[in-house]
Amino acid sequence: MTVAALLDRAKAQGVMIATAESCTGGMVAAALTDIPGSSAVVERGFVTYTNTAKQQMVEVRAETLAAHGAVSEQVAGEMAEGALRNSDAQLTVSVTGIAGPGGSEFKPEGRVCFGLAVEGAPTRTETVDFGALGREKVRQAARDHALELLSQGLFTIA
Amino acid sequence: MTVAALLDRAKAQGVMIATAESCTGGMVAAALTDIPGSSAVVERGFVTYTNTAKQQMVEVRAETLAAHGAVSEQVAGEMAEGALRNSDAQLTVSVTGIAGPGGSEFKPEGRVCFGLAVEGAPTRTETVDFGALGREKVRQAARDHALELLSQGLFTIA
């Protein structure tokens, strides 16, 4: 589904979207708002680049960060759910990963965790190892995957 | 100054940066986080696309929105100051404008208002009429101008 089609569908369903981004740093929100008329669908975006921002903006728990690290499905899930609680959106996606160069937290470059939260449904999380494609390509791949997850999320609401 | 040079300088000065974006929808934060090592400088970003998000995330006042509209130097100033208060950053930039297509609020397509807030200094605001360049070019021009303002802001701190 193109981003324009995603926005059309969300608009037709009366669904507002919010994002919570770490490694993509706003790229998902930027892709959504590239489309004219996106203001009917995009509610807000949280760029939670630091751990403090993750805790303050979308209520990621310090214990979760300490136990699993920022790049984990547990944190991705809390980010997506926190974005839902702290916005007027009904559908949220989160992205936290290692864009590189190099790995960190004993995790490989290119590993990205995602969360998808829908009002009234269980939160979905997943990990994709995009590999050491370089920072730019990992970020683009993560952005595109987050947009695909939003499309899938809309179908679960329909 | 390139974005990489901006980040190097901020890092050397021990300055953290936050963004508050409406019409650019995350593009400023995305540009900053394109650079490896940006996590030492980028604290967080607020994508305040709706008026509700502007009020809830960065404390723009309802009276200011009602009196001046979302695309105004008054709102841009409050966005930048709200981003400063609601983050651990010492330097913030805000962007609110009419990317188009078409004007709104009786304001022309391509008009963008910016705010620049620095801890302990007066907040600066300005309006740039980029003209009806089309949505993509207005957004890119607004992003680049916001990055330039951040560079200027760093010099006022030094």
Side-chain angles (χ1 to χ4, degrees):
Chain A
M1 199 186 292
T2 64
V3 181
L6 163 63
L7 288 169
D8 280 346
R9 188 176 172 105
K11 193 173 176 182
Q13 292 180 240
V15 170
M16 296 286 283
I17 293 172
T19 57
E21 302 181 62
S22 189
C23 69
T24 44
M27 291 171 74
V28 179
L32 292 169
T33 58
D34 267 345
I35 312 295
S38 52
S39 54
V41 172
V42 179
E43 212 275 323
R44 71 186 66 186
F46 304 89
V47 182
T48 58
Y49 218 56
T50 59
N51 282 351
T52 303
K54 288 177 186 68
Q55 295 173 251
Q56 292 179 349
M57 296 179 94
V58 289
E59 299 179 82
V60 171
R61 294 178 308 136
E63 304 78 51
T64 311
L65 285 163
H68 304 284
V71 179
S72 62
E73 292 191 33
Q74 288 84 355
V75 165
E78 291 190 8
M79 285 170 67
E81 290 176 356
L84 203 59
R85 278 195 307 276
N86 291 279
S87 73
D88 293 334
Q90 293 81 40
L91 173 64
T92 66
V93 72
S94 65
V95 190
T96 177
I98 299 170
S104 55
E105 289 183 352
F106 309 103
K107 290 163 187 170
E109 180 182 341
R111 174 166 298 175
V112 184
C113 298
F114 300 87
L116 183 73
V118 176
E119 219 172 44
T123 296
R124 176 176 152 194
T125 63
E126 60 182 52
T127 300
V128 181
D129 277 310
F130 292 107
L133 309 173
R135 184 176 182 86
E136 191 181 343
K137 284 191 177 151
V138 167
R139 277 162 48 97
Q140 288 170 351
R143 173 198 63 200
D144 292 346
H145 191 77
L147 293 168
E148 172 59 32
L149 283 177
L150 285 173
S151 297
Q152 293 175 20
L154 275 183
F155 281 99
T156 69
I157 296 177
Chain B
M1 198 186 294
T2 63
V3 181
L6 163 64
L7 288 169
D8 280 346
R9 190 179 170 104
K11 192 174 177 181
Q13 291 180 239
V15 170
M16 296 287 282
I17 293 173
T19 57
E21 303 181 62
S22 189
C23 70
T24 43
M27 291 171 75
V28 179
L32 291 169
T33 57
D34 267 344
I35 312 296
S38 51
S39 54
V41 173
V42 180
E43 210 275 324
R44 71 186 66 185
F46 303 88
V47 181
T48 59
Y49 218 56
T50 60
N51 282 352
T52 304
K54 287 177 185 68
Q55 293 174 253
Q56 292 179 350
M57 296 180 94
V58 289
E59 299 179 81
V60 171
R61 292 179 307 137
E63 304 75 51
T64 311
L65 285 163
H68 304 285
V71 179
S72 62
E73 291 190 33
Q74 289 84 354
V75 166
E78 291 190 8
M79 285 170 68
E81 290 176 356
L84 203 58
R85 279 195 307 277
N86 291 278
S87 73
D88 293 333
Q90 293 82 39
L91 172 65
T92 66
V93 71
S94 65
V95 190
T96 177
I98 299 173
S104 56
E105 288 183 357
F106 309 102
K107 290 163 187 170
E109 179 182 341
R111 175 166 297 174
V112 184
C113 298
F114 299 87
L116 184 71
V118 175
E119 218 172 45
T123 295
R124 176 175 153 195
T125 63
E126 61 183 51
T127 300
V128 181
D129 277 311
F130 292 106
L133 308 173
R135 185 176 182 85
E136 190 180 345
K137 283 189 180 154
V138 168
R139 279 162 45 98
Q140 288 170 352
R143 172 198 63 198
D144 292 346
H145 191 77
L147 293 168
E148 172 59 30
L149 284 177
L150 285 174
S151 296
Q152 293 176 19
L154 275 183
F155 282 98
T156 68
I157 297 176

